[in-house]
Amino acid sequence: MKTGLVLEGGGMRGLFSEGFIDVMQEQGITVDGMIGVSAGALFGCNFKSHQPGRGLRYNIRFKDDPRYMGWGSFLRTGNFVNAQFAYHTMPMQLDVFDIHAFEADPTEFHLVCTDIKTGQPVYRQINHVEDQTLEWFRATGSMPIVSTPVEIDGMKLLDGGLVDCIPLRHFQSIGYDRNIVILTRPKGYQKTPNKMAFLFQLFYPRYPKVAECMKRRHEMYNAQLRYIEEEEKKGNILAIRPDHPLDIGRIELNEEKLRAIYQHGYETAIERLAEVRQFLHPHNH
């Protein structure tokens, strides 16, 4: 029976997930594999590289650095989050991502992107980290409109959250049958239709699937939440949620808010530590 970790995205709400998995790391709790979407992958990779606190640290360190993110970068490059600085310079030179630890750790690592030509999810397992692989990380985190599509292997890719916000079903389909699912919305949350869906037709006239995905995104997401509740009742998953709405924007850079969201995830993990251990290793209890 393979154990997994499924990490939802949500921009800076993902710091809740990082706080949670940092406690798992500190307590030596491991899983066989993990899958993340967007911020879930960008923060989650630090679990496999054994670098707790890294996501919080670099976001605070570079929050006021015009090279990192902002409208200046967007006007210059078409990317609110600067592609070269955030996905290459920073992890390779400034807050160095531990490639050796990532590659040596046996945990499988998967991420999700959206192919904007087909409107289908693209699932990718990352075993090695080099320049090309870093582009997969950029793709999963590339929010539409404020990012240019990332070209890899002839595909044009954007944020995986357009088509598979919480990739539990996919992970189950490849053999992960006991999963901790970390959500960044509280229980009872329902996504409403995106009133700006028409904008996506203007921004991506050559890729009509993007607008179609955005129009249906609330239906897809709410169906995933229903599936999670069913799997929870059956005991197949352990769902972790913040206990209140996280008061933070996707691209928020207020240090107090960043720390508070991370701390909420950290404290939630401490409260639920025994439950996590029991769920992952039921026969040891």
Side-chain angles (χ1 to χ4, degrees), residues 269-283:
I270 288 171
E271 284 162 22
R272 301 191 67 177
L273 207 49
E275 207 180 337
V276 167
R277 285 201 167 102
Q278 162 74 37
F279 176 78
L280 291 174
H281 307 288
H283 305 303

Side-chain angles (χ1 to χ4, degrees), residues 217-250:
R217 189 165 177 257
H218 66 290
E219 295 167 7
M220 173 268 293
Y221 185 79
N222 294 336
Q224 290 188 328
L225 292 181
R226 287 193 297 276
Y227 181 67
I228 282 167
E229 293 205 353
E230 288 163 19
E231 289 296 278
E232 225 178 339
K233 282 177 191 148
K234 292 176 188 166
N236 294 335
I237 69 166
L238 179 64
I240 305 295
R241 304 171 179 85
D243 61 17
H244 57 265
L246 299 177
D247 173 28
I248 196 164
R250 280 177 174 275

Side-chain angles (χ1 to χ4, degrees), residues 49-117:
S49 71
H50 301 254
Q51 292 175 284
R54 181 173 171 269
L56 177 66
R57 183 176 67 234
Y58 69 70
N59 274 295
I60 288 172
R61 180 178 168 190
F62 297 112
K63 66 185 175 60
D64 300 318
D65 192 321
R67 295 173 299 170
Y68 183 36
M69 63 167 87
W71 294 113
S73 170
F74 180 70
L75 291 172
R76 285 194 313 275
T77 68
N79 291 291
F80 188 89
V81 178
N82 187 281
Q84 178 60 38
F85 183 83
Y87 293 100
H88 295 275
T89 308
M90 189 273 290
M92 293 296 106
Q93 297 169 27
L94 302 173
D95 192 321
V96 178
F97 182 67
D98 193 334
I99 294 173
H100 178 73
F102 180 91
E103 294 180 354
D105 184 284
T107 313
E108 276 192 13
F109 184 87
H110 301 250
L111 51 73
V112 191
C113 303
T114 299
D115 182 328
I116 63 172
K117 292 180 197 167

